[in-house]
PDB file of all heavy atoms in Angstrom:
ATOM      1  N   ARG A1520      16.531  18.201  14.546  1.00 97.00           N
ATOM      2  CA  ARG A1520      17.128  18.158  15.820  1.00 97.00           C
ATOM      3  C   ARG A1520      18.549  17.843  15.712  1.00 97.00           C
ATOM      4  O   ARG A1520      19.433  18.257  16.664  1.00 97.00           O
ATOM      5  CB  ARG A1520      16.358  17.211  16.704  1.00 97.00           C
ATOM      6  CG  ARG A1520      16.893  16.864  18.036  1.00 97.00           C
ATOM      7  CD  ARG A1520      16.047  15.748  18.703  1.00 97.00           C
ATOM      8  NE  ARG A1520      15.959  14.544  17.872  1.00 97.00           N
ATOM      9  CZ  ARG A1520      16.960  13.604  17.785  1.00 97.00           C
ATOM     10  NH1 ARG A1520      18.146  13.765  18.371  1.00 97.00           N
ATOM     11  NH2 ARG A1520      16.846  12.628  16.960  1.00 97.00           N
ATOM     12  N   THR A1521      19.040  16.808  14.890  1.00 97.00           N
ATOM     13  CA  THR A1521      20.405  16.326  14.836  1.00 97.00           C
ATOM     14  C   THR A1521      21.364  17.327  14.236  1.00 97.00           C
ATOM     15  O   THR A1521      22.515  16.965  14.179  1.00 97.00           O
ATOM     16  CB  THR A1521      20.377  14.964  14.101  1.00 97.00           C
ATOM     17  OG1 THR A1521      20.140  15.214  12.726  1.00 97.00           O
ATOM     18  CG2 THR A1521      19.282  13.981  14.699  1.00 97.00           C
ATOM     19  N   LYS A1547      17.836  -3.298  -1.200  1.00 98.00           N
ATOM     20  CA  LYS A1547      18.985  -3.321  -0.474  1.00 98.00           C
ATOM     21  C   LYS A1547      18.792  -4.445   0.623  1.00 98.00           C
ATOM     22  O   LYS A1547      17.653  -4.941   0.722  1.00 98.00           O
ATOM     23  CB  LYS A1547      19.373  -1.947   0.195  1.00 98.00           C
ATOM     24  CG  LYS A1547      18.360  -1.667   1.395  1.00 98.00           C
ATOM     25  CD  LYS A1547      18.969  -0.443   2.213  1.00 98.00           C
ATOM     26  CE  LYS A1547      18.036  -0.308   3.383  1.00 98.00           C
ATOM     27  NZ  LYS A1547      18.308   0.937   4.182  1.00 98.00           N
ATOM     28  N   PHE A1548      19.773  -4.913   1.233  1.00 98.00           N
ATOM     29  CA  PHE A1548      19.750  -5.925   2.202  1.00 98.00           C
ATOM     30  C   PHE A1548      19.113  -5.298   3.461  1.00 98.00           C
ATOM     31  O   PHE A1548      19.698  -4.274   4.085  1.00 98.00           O
ATOM     32  CB  PHE A1548      21.086  -6.591   2.570  1.00 98.00           C
ATOM     33  CG  PHE A1548      20.949  -7.592   3.686  1.00 98.00           C
ATOM     34  CD1 PHE A1548      20.286  -8.860   3.436  1.00 98.00           C
ATOM     35  CD2 PHE A1548      21.463  -7.296   4.883  1.00 98.00           C
ATOM     36  CE1 PHE A1548      20.294  -9.754   4.461  1.00 98.00           C
ATOM     37  CE2 PHE A1548      21.380  -8.276   5.953  1.00 98.00           C
ATOM     38  CZ  PHE A1548      20.786  -9.473   5.697  1.00 98.00           C
ATOM     39  N   VAL A1549      18.005  -5.832   3.951  1.00 98.00           N
ATOM     40  CA  VAL A1549      17.506  -5.412   5.258  1.00 98.00           C
ATOM     41  C   VAL A1549      17.820  -6.427   6.375  1.00 98.00           C
ATOM     42  O   VAL A1549      17.410  -7.622   6.132  1.00 98.00           O
ATOM     43  CB  VAL A1549      15.927  -5.144   5.118  1.00 98.00           C
ATOM     44  CG1 VAL A1549      15.373  -4.835   6.422  1.00 98.00           C
ATOM     45  CG2 VAL A1549      15.555  -4.073   4.149  1.00 98.00           C
ATOM     46  N   ALA A1550      18.424  -5.918   7.395  1.00 98.00           N
ATOM     47  CA  ALA A1550      19.022  -6.872   8.475  1.00 98.00           C
ATOM     48  C   ALA A1550      17.819  -7.305   9.297  1.00 98.00           C
ATOM     49  O   ALA A1550      17.459  -6.771  10.408  1.00 98.00           O
ATOM     50  CB  ALA A1550      20.005  -6.112   9.254  1.00 98.00           C
ATOM     51  N   ALA A1553      18.179  -7.821  13.228  1.00 98.00           N
ATOM     52  CA  ALA A1553      17.982  -6.633  14.024  1.00 98.00           C
ATOM     53  C   ALA A1553      16.387  -6.343  14.202  1.00 98.00           C
ATOM     54  O   ALA A1553      15.922  -6.003  15.268  1.00 98.00           O
ATOM     55  CB  ALA A1553      18.699  -5.424  13.553  1.00 98.00           C
ATOM     56  N   GLU A1557      14.712  -6.541  17.763  1.00 98.00           N
ATOM     57  CA  GLU A1557      14.113  -5.298  18.370  1.00 98.00           C
ATOM     58  C   GLU A1557      12.595  -5.613  18.678  1.00 98.00           C
ATOM     59  O   GLU A1557      12.168  -5.202  19.847  1.00 98.00           O
ATOM     60  CB  GLU A1557      14.231  -4.124  17.439  1.00 98.00           C
ATOM     61  CG  GLU A1557      13.869  -2.780  17.982  1.00 98.00           C
ATOM     62  CD  GLU A1557      13.693  -1.770  16.907  1.00 98.00           C
ATOM     63  OE1 GLU A1557      12.886  -2.085  15.972  1.00 98.00           O
ATOM     64  OE2 GLU A1557      13.987  -0.606  17.082  1.00 98.00           O
ATOM     65  N   GLY A1575      23.950  -9.415  19.372  1.00 98.00           N
ATOM     66  CA  GLY A1575      24.740  -8.843  18.295  1.00 98.00           C
ATOM     67  C   GLY A1575      24.036  -7.713  17.578  1.00 98.00           C
ATOM     68  O   GLY A1575      24.348  -7.262  16.492  1.00 98.00           O
ATOM     69  N   ILE A1576      23.011  -7.108  18.331  1.00 98.00           N
ATOM     70  CA  ILE A1576      22.243  -5.973  17.704  1.00 98.00           C
ATOM     71  C   ILE A1576      22.720  -4.690  18.380  1.00 98.00           C
ATOM     72  O   ILE A1576      22.542  -4.501  19.621  1.00 98.00           O
ATOM     73  CB  ILE A1576      20.745  -6.215  17.783  1.00 98.00           C
ATOM     74  CG1 ILE A1576      20.365  -7.538  17.112  1.00 98.00           C
ATOM     75  CG2 ILE A1576      19.917  -5.022  17.215  1.00 98.00           C
ATOM     76  CD1 ILE A1576      19.032  -8.127  17.581  1.00 98.00           C
ATOM     77  N   THR A1577      23.067  -3.646  17.513  1.00 98.00           N
ATOM     78  CA  THR A1577      23.754  -2.502  18.030  1.00 98.00           C
ATOM     79  C   THR A1577      22.883  -1.210  17.699  1.00 98.00           C
ATOM     80  O   THR A1577      23.385  -0.110  17.946  1.00 98.00           O
ATOM     81  CB  THR A1577      25.170  -2.348  17.497  1.00 98.00           C
ATOM     82  OG1 THR A1577      25.085  -2.296  16.071  1.00 98.00           O
ATOM     83  CG2 THR A1577      25.945  -3.472  17.988  1.00 98.00           C
ATOM     84  N   ILE A1578      21.748  -1.444  17.061  1.00 98.00           N
ATOM     85  CA  ILE A1578      21.004  -0.284  16.455  1.00 98.00           C
ATOM     86  C   ILE A1578      20.577   0.807  17.457  1.00 98.00           C
ATOM     87  O   ILE A1578      20.323   1.958  17.010  1.00 98.00           O
ATOM     88  CB  ILE A1578      19.852  -0.700  15.618  1.00 98.00           C
ATOM     89  CG1 ILE A1578      18.855  -1.466  16.418  1.00 98.00           C
ATOM     90  CG2 ILE A1578      20.281  -1.561  14.402  1.00 98.00           C
ATOM     91  CD1 ILE A1578      17.460  -1.649  15.648  1.00 98.00           C
ATOM     92  N   TRP A1579      20.426   0.496  18.758  1.00 98.00           N
ATOM     93  CA  TRP A1579      20.126   1.447  19.766  1.00 98.00           C
ATOM     94  C   TRP A1579      21.245   1.971  20.608  1.00 98.00           C
ATOM     95  O   TRP A1579      21.021   2.785  21.512  1.00 98.00           O
ATOM     96  CB  TRP A1579      18.947   0.774  20.638  1.00 98.00           C
ATOM     97  CG  TRP A1579      17.628   0.937  20.111  1.00 98.00           C
ATOM     98  CD1 TRP A1579      16.921  -0.016  19.416  1.00 98.00           C
ATOM     99  CD2 TRP A1579      16.756   2.106  19.993  1.00 98.00           C
ATOM    100  NE1 TRP A1579      15.661   0.463  19.032  1.00 98.00           N
ATOM    101  CE2 TRP A1579      15.613   1.740  19.248  1.00 98.00           C
ATOM    102  CE3 TRP A1579      16.872   3.395  20.509  1.00 98.00           C
ATOM    103  CZ2 TRP A1579      14.512   2.640  19.110  1.00 98.00           C
ATOM    104  CZ3 TRP A1579      15.810   4.325  20.266  1.00 98.00           C
ATOM    105  CH2 TRP A1579      14.696   3.949  19.523  1.00 98.00           C
ATOM    106  N   TRP A1582      21.953   5.784  21.755  1.00 98.00           N
ATOM    107  CA  TRP A1582      21.037   6.557  22.556  1.00 98.00           C
ATOM    108  C   TRP A1582      21.043   6.077  24.031  1.00 98.00           C
ATOM    109  O   TRP A1582      20.345   6.610  24.848  1.00 98.00           O
ATOM    110  CB  TRP A1582      19.560   6.422  21.940  1.00 98.00           C
ATOM    111  CG  TRP A1582      19.588   7.165  20.585  1.00 98.00           C
ATOM    112  CD1 TRP A1582      19.265   8.420  20.470  1.00 98.00           C
ATOM    113  CD2 TRP A1582      19.848   6.630  19.342  1.00 98.00           C
ATOM    114  NE1 TRP A1582      19.371   8.817  19.116  1.00 98.00           N
ATOM    115  CE2 TRP A1582      19.738   7.664  18.423  1.00 98.00           C
ATOM    116  CE3 TRP A1582      20.164   5.240  18.831  1.00 98.00           C
ATOM    117  CZ2 TRP A1582      19.920   7.451  17.129  1.00 98.00           C
ATOM    118  CZ3 TRP A1582      20.424   5.113  17.556  1.00 98.00           C
ATOM    119  CH2 TRP A1582      20.294   6.186  16.663  1.00 98.00           C
ATOM    120  N   LEU A1642      14.738   8.829  23.485  1.00 98.00           N
ATOM    121  CA  LEU A1642      14.213   9.291  22.231  1.00 98.00           C
ATOM    122  C   LEU A1642      12.708   9.152  22.298  1.00 98.00           C
ATOM    123  O   LEU A1642      12.173   8.073  22.611  1.00 98.00           O
ATOM    124  CB  LEU A1642      14.806   8.487  21.044  1.00 98.00           C
ATOM    125  CG  LEU A1642      14.860   9.042  19.627  1.00 98.00           C
ATOM    126  CD1 LEU A1642      15.657  10.346  19.510  1.00 98.00           C
ATOM    127  CD2 LEU A1642      15.257   8.052  18.599  1.00 98.00           C
ATOM    128  N   ASP A1668      12.813   8.351   9.160  1.00 98.00           N
ATOM    129  CA  ASP A1668      14.108   8.233   8.527  1.00 98.00           C
ATOM    130  C   ASP A1668      13.917   7.304   7.447  1.00 98.00           C
ATOM    131  O   ASP A1668      14.063   6.038   7.530  1.00 98.00           O
ATOM    132  CB  ASP A1668      15.181   7.825   9.554  1.00 98.00           C
ATOM    133  CG  ASP A1668      16.558   7.617   8.972  1.00 98.00           C
ATOM    134  OD1 ASP A1668      16.759   7.697   7.764  1.00 98.00           O
ATOM    135  OD2 ASP A1668      17.530   7.626   9.808  1.00 98.00           O
ATOM    136  N   PHE A1670      15.517   6.311   4.725  1.00 98.00           N
ATOM    137  CA  PHE A1670      16.484   5.370   4.262  1.00 98.00           C
ATOM    138  C   PHE A1670      16.887   4.324   5.327  1.00 98.00           C
ATOM    139  O   PHE A1670      16.965   3.154   5.042  1.00 98.00           O
ATOM    140  CB  PHE A1670      17.786   6.063   3.734  1.00 98.00           C
ATOM    141  CG  PHE A1670      18.774   5.085   3.247  1.00 98.00           C
ATOM    142  CD1 PHE A1670      18.691   4.527   2.096  1.00 98.00           C
ATOM    143  CD2 PHE A1670      19.970   4.732   4.048  1.00 98.00           C
ATOM    144  CE1 PHE A1670      19.566   3.512   1.578  1.00 98.00           C
ATOM    145  CE2 PHE A1670      20.842   3.799   3.511  1.00 98.00           C
ATOM    146  CZ  PHE A1670      20.601   3.190   2.262  1.00 98.00           C
ATOM    147  N   LEU A1671      17.164   4.705   6.510  1.00 98.00           N
ATOM    148  CA  LEU A1671      17.570   3.728   7.563  1.00 98.00           C
ATOM    149  C   LEU A1671      16.617   3.068   8.430  1.00 98.00           C
ATOM    150  O   LEU A1671      16.544   1.845   8.649  1.00 98.00           O
ATOM    151  CB  LEU A1671      18.615   4.381   8.487  1.00 98.00           C
ATOM    152  CG  LEU A1671      20.093   4.281   8.235  1.00 98.00           C
ATOM    153  CD1 LEU A1671      20.921   4.908   9.297  1.00 98.00           C
ATOM    154  CD2 LEU A1671      20.578   2.899   7.792  1.00 98.00           C
ATOM    155  N   GLY A1672      15.608   3.953   8.811  1.00 98.00           N
ATOM    156  CA  GLY A1672      14.559   3.414   9.759  1.00 98.00           C
ATOM    157  C   GLY A1672      13.393   2.710   9.174  1.00 98.00           C
ATOM    158  O   GLY A1672      12.966   1.713   9.609  1.00 98.00           O
ATOM    159  N   VAL A1673      12.870   3.201   8.042  1.00 98.00           N
ATOM    160  CA  VAL A1673      11.556   2.870   7.612  1.00 98.00           C
ATOM    161  C   VAL A1673      11.541   1.347   7.063  1.00 98.00           C
ATOM    162  O   VAL A1673      10.577   0.589   7.369  1.00 98.00           O
ATOM    163  CB  VAL A1673      10.984   3.865   6.594  1.00 98.00           C
ATOM    164  CG1 VAL A1673       9.751   3.295   5.887  1.00 98.00           C
ATOM    165  CG2 VAL A1673      10.706   5.195   7.331  1.00 98.00           C
ATOM    166  N   PHE A1675      13.181  -1.005   8.245  1.00 98.00           N
ATOM    167  CA  PHE A1675      13.100  -1.715   9.588  1.00 98.00           C
ATOM    168  C   PHE A1675      11.610  -1.653  10.103  1.00 98.00           C
ATOM    169  O   PHE A1675      11.012  -2.671  10.554  1.00 98.00           O
ATOM    170  CB  PHE A1675      13.979  -1.149  10.594  1.00 98.00           C
ATOM    171  CG  PHE A1675      15.352  -1.552  10.623  1.00 98.00           C
ATOM    172  CD1 PHE A1675      16.140  -1.603   9.452  1.00 98.00           C
ATOM    173  CD2 PHE A1675      15.865  -2.224  11.775  1.00 98.00           C
ATOM    174  CE1 PHE A1675      17.523  -2.040   9.546  1.00 98.00           C
ATOM    175  CE2 PHE A1675      17.124  -2.666  11.768  1.00 98.00           C
ATOM    176  CZ  PHE A1675      17.971  -2.565  10.711  1.00 98.00           C
ATOM    177  N   ASN A1676      11.127  -0.521  10.020  1.00 98.00           N
ATOM    178  CA  ASN A1676       9.779  -0.228  10.640  1.00 98.00           C
ATOM    179  C   ASN A1676       8.764  -1.012   9.972  1.00 98.00           C
ATOM    180  O   ASN A1676       7.812  -1.645  10.602  1.00 98.00           O
ATOM    181  CB  ASN A1676       9.479   1.204  10.813  1.00 98.00           C
ATOM    182  CG  ASN A1676      10.389   2.071  11.693  1.00 98.00           C
ATOM    183  OD1 ASN A1676      10.944   3.035  11.289  1.00 98.00           O
ATOM    184  ND2 ASN A1676      10.618   1.537  12.880  1.00 98.00           N
ATOM    185  N   TYR A1708      17.712  12.106   5.066  1.00 98.00           N
ATOM    186  CA  TYR A1708      18.860  12.948   5.548  1.00 98.00           C
ATOM    187  C   TYR A1708      19.824  13.346   4.345  1.00 98.00           C
ATOM    188  O   TYR A1708      20.008  12.578   3.461  1.00 98.00           O
ATOM    189  CB  TYR A1708      19.616  12.211   6.628  1.00 98.00           C
ATOM    190  CG  TYR A1708      18.905  12.217   7.949  1.00 98.00           C
ATOM    191  CD1 TYR A1708      18.297  11.064   8.436  1.00 98.00           C
ATOM    192  CD2 TYR A1708      18.941  13.312   8.753  1.00 98.00           C
ATOM    193  CE1 TYR A1708      17.604  11.037   9.651  1.00 98.00           C
ATOM    194  CE2 TYR A1708      18.236  13.385   9.953  1.00 98.00           C
ATOM    195  CZ  TYR A1708      17.659  12.209  10.398  1.00 98.00           C
ATOM    196  OH  TYR A1708      16.982  12.226  11.637  1.00 98.00           O
ATOM    197  N   ALA A1758      23.647  -4.845   0.586  1.00 98.00           N
ATOM    198  CA  ALA A1758      23.452  -3.879   1.646  1.00 98.00           C
ATOM    199  C   ALA A1758      24.102  -2.494   1.129  1.00 98.00           C
ATOM    200  O   ALA A1758      24.991  -2.431   0.328  1.00 98.00           O
ATOM    201  CB  ALA A1758      24.211  -4.324   2.933  1.00 98.00           C
ATOM    202  N   ILE A1759      23.573  -1.422   1.684  1.00 98.00           N
ATOM    203  CA  ILE A1759      24.051  -0.067   1.418  1.00 98.00           C
ATOM    204  C   ILE A1759      24.314   0.583   2.779  1.00 98.00           C
ATOM    205  O   ILE A1759      23.433   0.820   3.558  1.00 98.00           O
ATOM    206  CB  ILE A1759      23.086   0.852   0.608  1.00 98.00           C
ATOM    207  CG1 ILE A1759      22.760   0.116  -0.714  1.00 98.00           C
ATOM    208  CG2 ILE A1759      23.746   2.100   0.337  1.00 98.00           C
ATOM    209  CD1 ILE A1759      21.665   0.908  -1.497  1.00 98.00           C
ATOM    210  N   LYS A1760      25.583   0.955   3.109  1.00 98.00           N
ATOM    211  CA  LYS A1760      25.875   1.502   4.427  1.00 98.00           C
ATOM    212  C   LYS A1760      25.541   3.081   4.395  1.00 98.00           C
ATOM    213  O   LYS A1760      25.678   3.721   3.433  1.00 98.00           O
ATOM    214  CB  LYS A1760      27.338   1.333   4.724  1.00 98.00           C
ATOM    215  CG  LYS A1760      27.861  -0.071   4.873  1.00 98.00           C
ATOM    216  CD  LYS A1760      28.025  -0.402   6.267  1.00 98.00           C
ATOM    217  CE  LYS A1760      28.100  -1.914   6.536  1.00 98.00           C
ATOM    218  NZ  LYS A1760      26.785  -2.605   6.657  1.00 98.00           N
ATOM    219  N   ALA A1761      25.117   3.438   5.584  1.00 98.00           N
ATOM    220  CA  ALA A1761      24.853   4.943   5.771  1.00 98.00           C
ATOM    221  C   ALA A1761      25.023   5.330   7.181  1.00 98.00           C
ATOM    222  O   ALA A1761      24.772   4.486   8.135  1.00 98.00           O
ATOM    223  CB  ALA A1761      23.505   5.233   5.287  1.00 98.00           C
ATOM    224  N   VAL A1763      24.022   6.892  10.781  1.00 98.00           N
ATOM    225  CA  VAL A1763      22.766   7.266  11.445  1.00 98.00           C
ATOM    226  C   VAL A1763      22.900   8.625  12.126  1.00 98.00           C
ATOM    227  O   VAL A1763      23.917   8.859  12.751  1.00 98.00           O
ATOM    228  CB  VAL A1763      22.326   6.112  12.451  1.00 98.00           C
ATOM    229  CG1 VAL A1763      23.364   5.947  13.556  1.00 98.00           C
ATOM    230  CG2 VAL A1763      20.934   6.334  12.984  1.00 98.00           C
ATOM    231  N   ALA A1764      21.872   9.451  12.047  1.00 98.00           N
ATOM    232  CA  ALA A1764      21.815  10.770  12.634  1.00 98.00           C
ATOM    233  C   ALA A1764      21.405  10.598  14.108  1.00 98.00           C
ATOM    234  O   ALA A1764      20.346  10.099  14.451  1.00 98.00           O
ATOM    235  CB  ALA A1764      20.801  11.622  11.878  1.00 98.00           C
ATOM    236  N   VAL A1765      22.288  11.068  14.942  1.00 97.00           N
ATOM    237  CA  VAL A1765      22.065  10.978  16.429  1.00 97.00           C
ATOM    238  C   VAL A1765      21.642  12.343  17.019  1.00 97.00           C
ATOM    239  O   VAL A1765      20.835  12.404  17.816  1.00 97.00           O
ATOM    240  CB  VAL A1765      23.246  10.388  17.142  1.00 97.00           C
ATOM    241  CG1 VAL A1765      23.029  10.206  18.647  1.00 97.00           C
ATOM    242  CG2 VAL A1765      23.707   9.133  16.567  1.00 97.00           C
TER     243      VAL A1765
HETATM  244  N1  MHF B 558      18.256   8.896  12.736  1.00 53.49           N
HETATM  245  C1  MHF B 558      17.724   7.831  13.271  1.00 53.49           C
HETATM  246  N2  MHF B 558      17.165   6.939  12.351  1.00 53.49           N
HETATM  247  C2  MHF B 558      16.605   5.824  12.779  1.00 53.49           C
HETATM  248  O1  MHF B 558      16.133   5.012  11.949  1.00 53.49           O
HETATM  249  C3  MHF B 558      16.568   5.577  14.154  1.00 53.49           C
HETATM  250  C4  MHF B 558      17.038   6.458  15.115  1.00 53.49           C
HETATM  251  N3  MHF B 558      17.649   7.559  14.554  1.00 53.49           N
HETATM  252  N4  MHF B 558      17.053   6.243  16.449  1.00 53.49           N
HETATM  253  C5  MHF B 558      16.365   5.133  16.982  1.00 53.49           C
HETATM  254  C6  MHF B 558      16.240   4.019  16.068  1.00 53.49           C
HETATM  255  C7  MHF B 558      17.510   3.119  15.805  1.00 53.49           C
HETATM  256  N5  MHF B 558      17.187   2.625  14.431  1.00 53.49           N
HETATM  257  C8  MHF B 558      18.185   2.263  13.617  1.00 53.49           C
HETATM  258  C9  MHF B 558      19.489   2.525  13.868  1.00 53.49           C
HETATM  259  C10 MHF B 558      20.465   2.051  12.890  1.00 53.49           C
HETATM  260  C11 MHF B 558      20.106   1.381  11.820  1.00 53.49           C
HETATM  261  C12 MHF B 558      21.208   0.881  10.889  1.00 53.49           C
HETATM  262  O2  MHF B 558      22.293   1.381  11.034  1.00 53.49           O
HETATM  263  N6  MHF B 558      20.919  -0.048  10.030  1.00 53.49           N
HETATM  264  C13 MHF B 558      21.899  -0.579   9.065  1.00 53.49           C
HETATM  265  C14 MHF B 558      22.497  -1.856   9.552  1.00 53.49           C
HETATM  266  C15 MHF B 558      22.010  -2.484  10.765  1.00 53.49           C
HETATM  267  C16 MHF B 558      22.640  -3.856  11.122  1.00 53.49           C
HETATM  268  O3  MHF B 558      23.166  -4.503  10.198  1.00 53.49           O
HETATM  269  O4  MHF B 558      22.480  -4.203  12.319  1.00 53.49           O
HETATM  270  C17 MHF B 558      21.174  -0.789   7.715  1.00 53.49           C
HETATM  271  O5  MHF B 558      21.903  -0.839   6.764  1.00 53.49           O
HETATM  272  O6  MHF B 558      19.936  -0.904   7.722  1.00 53.49           O
HETATM  273  C18 MHF B 558      18.764   1.104  11.557  1.00 53.49           C
HETATM  274  C19 MHF B 558      17.794   1.559  12.465  1.00 53.49           C
HETATM  275  C20 MHF B 558      15.926   3.070  13.964  1.00 53.49           C
HETATM  276  N7  MHF B 558      15.867   4.408  14.827  1.00 53.49           N
END
Side-chain angles (χ1 to χ4, degrees):
R1520 175 186 54 79
T1521 70
K1547 70 172 185 183
F1548 177 73
V1549 175
E1557 188 198 46
I1576 301 163
T1577 57
I1578 60 170
W1579 276 101
W1582 294 272
L1642 199 63
D1668 177 348
F1670 181 75
L1671 268 188
V1673 172
F1675 272 59
N1676 297 129
Y1708 282 104
I1759 306 174
K1760 296 258 165 275
V1763 66
V1765 183

